[in-house]
Amino acid sequence: MNRWLVIVLLVLGTVGGLHAQEPDSLRRDTIPKMADTLAVDTAGRQADETRRERRQRERREREAQEQKQTVFKDSARLALEAMSVRPWKQSLMVPGWGQITNGGWWWLKVPVIYGGFVGAVLVFEFNNRYYHDVLREAQYRINNNHAIPPNTKFPYLAAGSQATDRLVAAKDYYRRNRDLTVLVTVGWWGIQAVEAYVTSMLKHRWDIGDDLGFRISPTLLQQPPTSLAYQHSPYAIGLKVGFRF
């Protein structure tokens, strides 16, 4: 009887051990299958998305990010920016127009601007006239063995190669000054446009009050150290000037 009981217990223990050693099919099968399904879906979406669609999606994401970082300006700020930009554009089109728009000392600035243009025109005409006169004189002398033209404008220049060389050098001098006058005129045009822009910025972007003044008050100035410092006071009486604007 005891023998059969021991055999039955051994059989039951063996069956239980074999059942406990059976692998867990749920953990082994379902998790890899879920991962495989996710990988297949991602690969399918990437395969279905064309290059054009990917660029469109990236552009939409970039635009959405830029909209989050955009700083919106109110109507007053936009009006001030427009008022500060308009004068220099007007001065580029018509010199002095931006100064009139800015107001202030425009009645003094506009004559100075046009005075500069008038002076540039006079200098250009002077150099251009002498350039052509000297050029004709030099060409005649070169073509006629350095002879003096019949109606010469330079009778003090005798016939010869040295006088011709002097005329060629003078011709280059007047031509250089004429061309430089054109560059100076263009620069003057740009300077008056810059002046209109700076004045508009100071007028509309920065507050420059009329309360300008200065204050003078006594103060003590520290003396620099010297070899004879022990014989003098370390401080001296002075004046302090303070500006208020």
Side-chain angles (χ1 to χ4, degrees):
M1 185 64 183
N2 293 331
R3 183 186 301 174
W4 288 106
L5 182 60
V6 172
I7 293 173
V8 172
L9 292 175
L10 290 175
V11 171
L12 292 176
T14 303
V15 173
L18 292 175
H19 182 70
Q21 293 179 0
E22 184 179 357
D24 189 357
S25 60
L26 180 62
R27 288 185 300 174
R28 184 187 62 187
D29 296 337
T30 57
I31 294 178
K33 287 182 179 179
M34 292 175 63
D36 294 340
T37 303
L38 181 60
V40 171
D41 293 341
T42 304
R45 286 198 304 269
Q46 293 178 353
D48 295 338
E49 186 180 23
T50 62
R51 183 178 300 177
R52 181 179 180 182
E53 293 175 349
R54 184 176 68 255
R55 288 199 301 266
Q56 293 177 353
R57 175 176 56 80
E58 293 175 353
R59 187 177 67 253
R60 289 194 299 268
E61 293 176 355
R62 186 170 56 254
E63 291 176 353
Q65 186 67 22
E66 291 177 355
Q67 289 179 357
K68 294 180 180 179
Q69 300 177 355
T70 301
V71 177
F72 295 97
K73 302 178 181 179
D74 56 4
S75 58
R77 180 58 181 267
L78 295 175
L80 289 176
E81 291 181 355
M83 293 174 64
S84 60
V85 170
R86 188 185 307 114
W88 71 267
K89 293 182 178 179
Q90 294 174 342
S91 292
L92 282 180
M93 293 185 291
V94 179
W97 189 8
Q99 282 74 15
I100 296 175
T101 302
N102 288 329
W105 293 71
W106 68 268
W107 53 271
L108 180 61
K109 297 177 182 178
V110 173
V112 171
I113 292 172
Y114 281 95
F117 285 117
V118 171
V121 171
L122 294 177
V123 173
F124 178 87
E125 191 277 333
F126 173 83
N127 288 281
N128 188 61
R129 174 161 48 85
Y130 273 85
Y131 165 74
H132 287 288
D133 293 342
V134 175
L135 178 62
R136 285 192 296 267
E137 182 86 10
Q139 288 177 344
Y140 182 88
R141 289 174 180 257
I142 291 173
N143 296 329
N144 295 275
N145 196 20
H146 308 292
I148 300 176
N151 298 322
T152 180
K153 293 184 178 181
F154 308 96
Y156 51 87
L157 293 177
S161 60
Q162 293 182 355
T164 304
D165 294 339
R166 291 178 61 185
L167 288 171
V168 172
K171 180 261 299 182
D172 295 336
Y173 171 78
Y174 288 118
R175 182 186 61 185
R176 182 171 59 253
N177 290 345
R178 182 197 62 181
D179 298 342
L180 183 60
T181 303
V182 176
L183 297 178
V184 171
T185 303
V186 175
W188 184 251
W189 195 303
I191 288 174
Q192 61 91 26
V194 171
E195 192 279 332
Y197 173 74
V198 172
T199 303
S200 64
M201 291 290 291
L202 294 176
K203 181 178 180 181
H204 301 294
R205 297 292 186 90
W206 284 275
D207 184 13
I208 301 178
D210 297 331
D211 187 13
L212 303 178
F214 64 94
R215 180 181 179 182
I216 301 177
S217 59
T219 185
L220 292 178
L221 302 177
Q222 186 175 5
Q223 297 297 315
T226 61
S227 59
L228 300 177
Y230 65 92
Q231 298 180 359
H232 303 282
S233 174
Y235 296 97
I237 299 176
L239 295 177
K240 180 176 66 176
V241 180
F243 293 92
R244 184 180 65 255
F245 56 91

